[in-house]
Amino acid sequence: MAAELTEYLDLQDSTEMVTKAEVRQALRDGGLTISDRNLVYYTSLGLVPPAVRVGNRAGTYPQIVIEQLAWVIRSRERGLSLDAIKEVLPVWRWLVWGRTRNCIDLREFELAARRLEPSIEANYAIPNLVHDVITSCLCGECLQQIEWILKDGTSFRHTEANPLKLSFLLATVDQATGKPHLMAWTQLSFPGLGSPDPSQPTSITLGLPIGLDLPVSRPRERPSGRARGCGRRTTRQREVLPLG
């Protein structure tokens, strides 16, 4: 338990603790609620850490648990199963850790997500997870403090004039041919469309084993500001989530 507490304090980069009453009040302030029964159940599943005693304060949690529970509750409201939430919980922790340190490496993020080999349902949840962790808890000014290391190794900072646009490409392996196949894609960005190009340094490929990647069907191009179709009837675009 001590190791888990240390991990959560490291995530929030502070020793701030809150009581269960404070957790529930913070959730209510955000328009969310949780019953004691569900809190106990989520704890038993490992979705939130168990409460600890700190001095004379019993039943306390690291402050970051408020955000963690809010993410779990919102995910459940979207229809995500508890199994899928548990699958992507390590990705949530990874992103919070990077956000706290104002540096997120997209190549490492993709490796972290793919190494888990989550289910299709869990992979579909990752764009919303990124939206919750990065944009729901940061003001525009704070968002601009994050240094993004793109997959080509370059450094990028989000601004209103030059917004960050992350593409998520969900792929699978064709059982007959053994080749990767693009199933769906979505973009996390300000309003506007891009294209599902795995060669772009802001594209995150999900669903494939490490070492197996989607084929690049065309050379790298500079963004033209014009949307291009994906060119595959079996690929469906999902919703575009606003960043910021």
Side-chain angles (χ1 to χ4, degrees):
M1 184 178 297
E4 188 173 24
L5 175 60
T6 300
E7 178 186 1
Y8 273 84
L9 295 179
D10 189 46
L11 279 181
Q12 65 187 35
D13 197 26
S14 77
T15 58
E16 186 71 25
M17 302 289 289
V18 291
T19 64
K20 182 167 66 174
E22 290 170 330
V23 169
R24 298 185 67 172
Q25 183 60 52
L27 291 173
R28 281 196 294 270
D29 291 344
L32 303 171
T33 59
I34 186 170
S35 67
D36 286 339
R37 180 178 179 181
N38 276 345
L39 181 56
V40 171
Y41 185 48
Y42 291 165
T43 302
S44 71
L45 293 177
L47 297 180
V48 291
V52 297
R53 175 181 289 275
V54 178
N56 294 326
R57 302 174 73 192
T60 63
Y61 300 87
Q63 188 178 38
I64 194 70
V65 167
I66 296 172
E67 180 184 338
Q68 185 175 11
L69 273 171
W71 165 66
V72 171
I73 295 169
R74 283 194 295 266
S75 297
R76 292 292 289 153
E77 290 176 346
R78 296 183 187 116
L80 197 63
S81 70
L82 290 172
D83 286 340
I85 294 173
K86 192 170 183 178
E87 282 186 87
V88 295
L89 179 57
V91 180
W92 180 88
R93 289 173 177 156
W94 192 96
L95 281 171
V96 171
W97 188 89
R99 185 194 66 191
T100 299
R101 285 149 186 79
N102 286 328
C103 183
I104 296 177
D105 187 317
L106 293 183
R107 185 180 301 171
E108 292 296 325
F109 169 69
E110 182 179 285
L111 285 174
R114 289 172 63 176
R115 190 175 288 120
L116 295 170
E117 298 185 2
S119 63
I120 296 280
E121 181 189 12
N123 273 314
Y124 268 126
I126 289 178
N128 273 320
L129 185 158
V130 175
H131 179 267
D132 285 350
V133 171
I134 302 302
T135 67
S136 297
C137 307
L138 294 175
C139 63
E141 182 178 347
C142 295
L143 180 58
Q144 295 179 34
Q145 298 303 311
I146 297 178
E147 179 185 14
W148 297 83
I149 308 301
L150 307 187
K151 290 174 64 179
D152 61 3
T154 58
S155 176
F156 180 91
R157 289 188 184 273
H158 167 94
T159 65
E160 291 184 3
N162 188 25
L164 176 69
K165 295 183 178 182
L166 297 179
S167 296
F168 295 86
L169 291 74
L170 178 56
T172 188
V173 179
D174 189 300
Q175 297 300 314
T177 65
K179 295 181 179 180
H181 170 67
L182 182 63
M183 294 176 58
W185 70 282
T186 189
Q187 188 177 73
L188 181 63
S189 69
F190 278 96
L193 298 178
S195 62
D197 183 356
S199 71
Q200 293 299 318
T202 54
S203 290
I204 309 299
T205 298
L206 302 170
L208 295 179
I210 294 174
L212 184 64
D213 295 304
L214 285 164
V216 178
S217 59
R218 59 180 179 276
R220 290 276 300 278
E221 300 175 358
R222 292 183 179 275
S224 63
R226 184 174 57 186
R228 297 188 297 273
C230 62
R232 299 193 64 151
R233 294 181 181 177
T234 54
T235 301
R236 61 188 181 89
Q237 180 189 335
R238 303 187 72 228
E239 71 276 13
V240 177
L241 304 174
L243 179 60

